[in-house]
Amino acid sequence: MVLVLNGVLQDDCPMDTNSLFLQHPVYRDYAHQLHSIQAKSVGPVGLLYVGQRELAAAAPHDKNINIIGADDATTCIIVVVRHSGSGAVALAHFDGSGVDEAVCTMVSRVQELALGYPEGRIELQLIGGYRDSQGYGEDVFYSIMQSFHKHHLEIDLTQACVGELNTMLRGEINCPIIYGVGVNIKTGEIFPASFPDRGPDRQLRDARIFMGSQTVLDIYDSTLGMLRIGPFNYDPLRGADLWLSQTDEFLLQHLSSSPDVEPPHFASQVRATIRFIQENQFPAVTVFRDNRPRYYRRDDATGCWALVRY
């Protein structure tokens, strides 16, 4: 009984987006306000990019990060948790896997970063999960709402640009209005965004998802100011050559939950991931030597992430 909707503590969690919007139409206004913000293409300088089944948290005073963001969300939902007093923020890209544990991690990270700052509320924003024909976005929405509703803290839902509020018609096909968002960690501003550079280690990070990991990876160590990937392992991929020989359309139809609305780079990204898996069948051996994470530090000269060599 800890989810707050439109300022009111809730006894029950909304079962779906329709119920939420019928009972609290103010979320339509909040979504329209987000739609009205000019979308930005964000470069790699000062960016912490969060991929699918990943999360990260940072505070406004973090000198390594200006923007934290995620994109390529169709049936997935981007979740932002922010402490209104300190400005500490966590962002995750959820597809329905590992949500319970990740929600607890997000809230605890924000609480840790908010220690010593003025009191404030934990605010929650949801963006993504358009109205797809299979109802995948609704399932993700429900799992997220249930997880936050079970949390012992009061959490205030301040944005729900999901379901029909993130859906437009292109011809006769429903498609997302917003695919990605960025958060300015200095100001708390949230805005529609795309990220041409999704690194570092994009193929390695995508390989973890492609090979079926169900956990949400926390990719940033705010104490060290370093991006942290792994360690993790997966089994060798059988039939990699067969996958690579298929057409882009085949990959779309068989590997996407929303083949009609994927961004143009979907197939090329999948191919790059499969090639990486083919070349690194045992990442515990070839990538994470001595079972150590791959750490990246912000390069002062370029503003981009640079691998820390040991």
Side-chain angles (χ1 to χ4, degrees):
M1 200 164 62
V2 290
L3 197 61
V4 178
L5 303 180
N6 193 25
V8 179
L9 199 64
Q10 302 296 303
D11 291 327
D12 300 308
C13 179
M15 295 294 291
D16 51 40
T17 56
N18 278 342
S19 301
L20 175 66
F21 303 145
L22 278 172
Q23 295 166 23
H24 306 279
V26 69
Y27 289 112
R28 295 182 181 277
D29 299 330
Y30 298 154
H32 292 322
Q33 288 170 20
L34 185 61
H35 295 160
S36 70
I37 299 172
Q38 182 70 37
K40 299 176 185 176
S41 178
V42 179
V45 177
L47 169 67
L48 177 55
Y49 182 82
V50 177
Q52 189 172 339
R53 289 184 212 165
E54 293 181 351
L55 68 88
H61 62 265
D62 193 315
K63 62 181 176 59
N64 300 292
I65 302 169
N66 297 321
I67 304 293
I68 184 171
D71 64 359
D72 288 1
T74 56
T75 56
C76 296
I77 293 178
I78 299 166
V79 176
V80 179
V81 174
R82 186 172 182 271
H83 183 260
S84 63
S86 66
V89 63
L91 183 145
H93 183 153
F94 285 150
D95 61 7
S97 297
V99 174
D100 275 351
E101 184 179 353
V103 161
C104 290
T105 301
M106 292 180 80
V107 175
S108 65
R109 291 285 182 274
V110 167
Q111 285 184 294
E112 290 162 9
L113 292 167
L115 281 174
Y117 285 85
E119 290 186 11
R121 298 189 64 77
I122 301 287
E123 297 174 342
L124 170 65
Q125 301 189 64
L126 310 178
I127 302 97
Y130 83 112
R131 176 156 285 180
D132 65 286
S133 59
Q134 302 298 316
Y136 294 132
E138 283 293 329
D139 291 342
V140 177
F141 169 79
Y142 183 66
S143 69
I144 292 168
M145 292 294 278
Q146 282 285 87
S147 294
F148 278 103
H149 191 59
K150 288 186 291 190
H151 203 280
H152 64 277
L153 290 179
E154 284 189 15
I155 296 168
D156 196 346
L157 183 67
T158 60
Q159 175 66 268
C161 186
V162 291
E164 67 176 273
L165 300 189
N166 192 40
T167 304
M168 64 180 180
L169 274 175
R170 188 183 294 150
E172 296 182 354
I173 297 172
N174 282 354
C175 63
I177 299 172
I178 296 174
Y179 279 83
V181 293
V183 182
N184 184 321
I185 70 164
K186 314 301 184 189
T187 65
E189 173 201 8
I190 187 166
F191 54 90
S194 60
F195 305 93
D197 188 313
R198 299 176 176 85
D201 273 338
R202 185 70 269 147
Q203 282 76 45
L204 171 63
R205 293 155 73 179
D206 287 346
R208 190 180 71 91
I209 310 307
F210 191 91
M211 297 304 287
S213 172
Q214 299 299 300
T215 59
V216 178
L217 196 65
D218 185 353
I219 64 165
Y220 187 63
D221 188 320
S222 57
T223 305
L224 297 175
M226 297 170 75
L227 194 153
R228 176 190 57 218
I229 305 300
F232 53 80
N233 203 20
Y234 48 71
D235 294 328
L237 174 63
R238 295 180 180 178
D241 286 330
L242 186 60
W243 279 112
L244 291 170
S245 69
Q246 304 303 318
T247 64
D248 288 358
E249 183 61 25
F250 183 92
L251 297 179
L252 263 174
Q253 295 299 326
H254 289 82
L255 296 176
S256 170
S257 61
S258 50
D260 294 331
V261 301
E262 288 289 356
H265 56 259
F266 177 86
S268 61
Q269 195 165 296
V270 167
R271 291 184 192 282
T273 301
I274 294 173
R275 288 192 194 100
F276 179 90
I277 295 168
Q278 199 174 33
E279 294 165 5
N280 297 274
Q281 298 189 49
F282 300 97
V285 176
T286 60
V287 180
F288 303 111
R289 291 181 175 86
D290 300 323
N291 204 36
R292 285 201 304 244
R294 283 169 69 83
Y295 279 106
Y296 285 82
R297 191 185 300 280
R298 183 71 71 191
D299 183 270
D300 291 336
T302 66
C304 299
W305 296 108
L307 183 63
V308 176
R309 303 286 182 182
Y310 291 100

